[in-house]
Amino acid sequence: QIKISLNNYQKKDFLLPLGKYKLELSKRTYIMGIVNLTFDSFSGDGLYSKAQNSKIKIQDYVLEYVHNLIREGADIIDIGGQSTRPYSRPIPLKEEIERTIPVIKRLAKSIKVPISIDTYRAEVAKQALDNGALIVNDITGLRDPKMLKVVKRYNAGVVIMHMKGMPSTMQINPKYRSLIDEIIEFLDKAINRALDIGIAQDKIIIDPGIGFGKNFQHNLLIIKALKELKVLGKPILIGTSRKSFIGKILKVNPQNRLFGSISSVCLAVINGANIVRVHDVKETKQALEVLDRILKVSYR
């Protein structure tokens, strides 16, 4: 086990095959652009509300929004149909499908980057993968056996995230005996469930779940100790963008957390993140181009 952990920790060459796409995660940091098809996103970027205000048809509005994210540098587009902000309640399955699937169907025909479906419902994932999505971003960390089967059947990429509880309850006084150890243990078990059912090693990405069942101090510790997750031998995705811990430090609302978000993203990358999930793609891209160049420079 020690030998495996050491080998995993030193692993740097991650190649993520997604259909016709092959993401070489060892060459640079990849950016996942957030697309919230909701009315009630914590960050104020719910596209349903924005489309209503603009009086443009929602699908046309979303397509233009996504194309702009790609022009700005998004490598992956993450589509979500329901808010998972703290204390949020699930929307009906039918509504989540109606929000996401028609958009994914149109995007799959018009964009040249992989699409991720942000859902913990197996039926939503299945329909998304049927219509062109290539990654399932599961905030519940593959707790549902049906989701495991869907990911395996479609040979999809999968983001396994750590969350304590569910969105409606996760921020009610979350406690840990040993934060990082418990996150690693949870993710390790989820990885093994995935491998046991036949999901390929190179399809798995891990996410410590910033803000999902963590308090202010927990979020800071995760970013500071992110390197410890490398013992699992998987690419690390992290989503700090506009999160409440940044607002608490800076005392600003979500729309004014750009500089704090970039600061947290850069530190996460220094500490091992391979993919960052963000709202502000253009600014993050510029910051990471400089950071990646510095990190890759050779002494010789």
Side-chain angles (χ1 to χ4, degrees):
Q1 285 294 323
I2 291 172
K3 186 175 181 181
I4 290 169
S5 294
L6 285 171
N7 288 338
N8 284 344
Y9 190 86
Q10 294 168 6
K11 187 174 181 180
K12 294 180 180 178
D13 296 330
F14 293 109
L15 179 66
L16 180 61
L18 300 167
K20 64 183 178 181
Y21 304 102
K22 287 182 172 54
L23 309 189
E24 297 184 65
L25 302 180
S26 57
K27 289 196 170 181
R28 62 179 176 85
T29 307
Y30 276 66
I31 296 174
M32 176 182 275
I34 299 170
V35 180
N36 287 321
L37 303 182
T38 65
F39 292 98
D40 55 349
S41 168
F42 86 90
S43 59
D45 71 325
L47 296 189
Y48 268 48
S49 297
K50 289 191 171 185
Q52 279 186 340
N53 294 336
S54 69
K55 297 181 181 179
I56 300 172
K57 288 183 179 179
I58 179 62
Q59 286 195 30
D60 293 336
Y61 186 92
V62 172
L63 257 67
E64 179 54 35
Y65 185 86
V66 170
H67 281 286
N68 189 55
L69 289 183
I70 294 169
R71 284 192 293 268
E72 291 180 344
D75 302 293
I76 305 165
I77 294 297
D78 192 41
I79 306 284
Q82 68 168 319
S83 175
T84 52
R85 74 190 192 287
Y87 310 109
S88 62
R89 297 286 178 180
I91 63 172
L93 172 63
K94 183 182 178 186
E95 186 174 353
E96 186 179 355
I97 289 170
E98 288 174 349
R99 288 183 181 185
T100 56
I101 304 307
V103 168
I104 289 171
K105 191 180 292 187
R106 286 187 64 181
L107 283 174
K109 296 173 183 176
S110 65
I111 66 174
K112 294 181 180 179
V113 302
I115 297 170
S116 166
I117 177 67
D118 179 3
T119 188
Y120 55 83
R121 288 169 162 159
E123 181 58 30
V124 178
K126 176 184 177 300
Q127 292 198 34
L129 295 169
D130 268 333
N131 286 283
L134 295 168
I135 305 172
V136 176
N137 185 6
D138 183 1
I139 64 167
T140 64
L142 297 178
R143 293 179 200 168
D144 183 356
K146 293 179 183 176
M147 183 67 91
L148 282 162
K149 291 176 182 177
V150 168
V151 173
K152 165 66 170 64
R153 177 182 169 188
Y154 287 87
N155 194 29
V158 61
V159 179
I160 301 174
M161 196 191 81
H162 173 273
M163 175 172 60
K164 198 177 186 77
M166 291 297 284
S168 59
T169 60
M170 64 188 181
Q171 291 308 107
I172 301 174
N173 194 26
K175 292 182 179 178
Y176 296 85
R177 299 182 314 277
S178 178
L179 175 68
I180 303 301
D181 289 339
E182 288 183 49
I183 292 173
I184 289 173
E185 182 182 6
F186 175 95
L187 293 174
D188 187 43
K189 287 180 178 177
I191 291 167
N192 286 326
R193 286 199 303 274
L195 296 176
D196 288 345
I197 204 170
I199 295 171
Q201 287 269 10
D202 59 3
K203 297 286 188 178
I204 299 171
I205 304 156
I206 57 171
D207 179 352
I210 292 286
F212 285 83
K214 284 91 177 175
N215 64 25
F216 174 74
Q217 190 76 1
H218 295 150
N219 291 322
L220 302 185
L221 286 170
I222 289 169
I223 297 168
K224 188 172 183 178
L226 193 64
K227 279 184 180 177
E228 294 187 35
L229 270 65
K230 292 170 68 175
V231 299
L232 295 169
K234 301 298 176 196
I236 299 170
L237 180 150
I238 197 158
T240 60
S241 183
R242 300 186 186 177
K243 291 284 175 76
S244 62
F245 77 93
I246 297 169
K248 188 169 183 177
I249 294 170
L250 301 179
K251 297 179 175 55
V252 293
N253 63 27
Q255 289 73 35
N256 291 305
R257 296 174 187 171
L258 171 62
F259 300 120
S261 295
I262 289 176
S263 174
S264 65
V265 160
C266 287
L267 185 54
V269 171
I270 290 168
N271 286 341
N274 306 98
I275 305 170
V276 295
R277 184 177 181 273
V278 302
H279 300 86
D280 304 292
V281 171
K282 179 181 177 181
E283 295 85 350
T284 304
K285 177 73 173 178
Q286 290 185 358
L288 290 179
E289 282 188 344
V290 175
L291 180 62
D292 281 340
R293 185 67 64 89
I294 293 169
L295 292 177
K296 302 293 183 189
V297 72
S298 171
Y299 286 103
R300 297 179 181 178

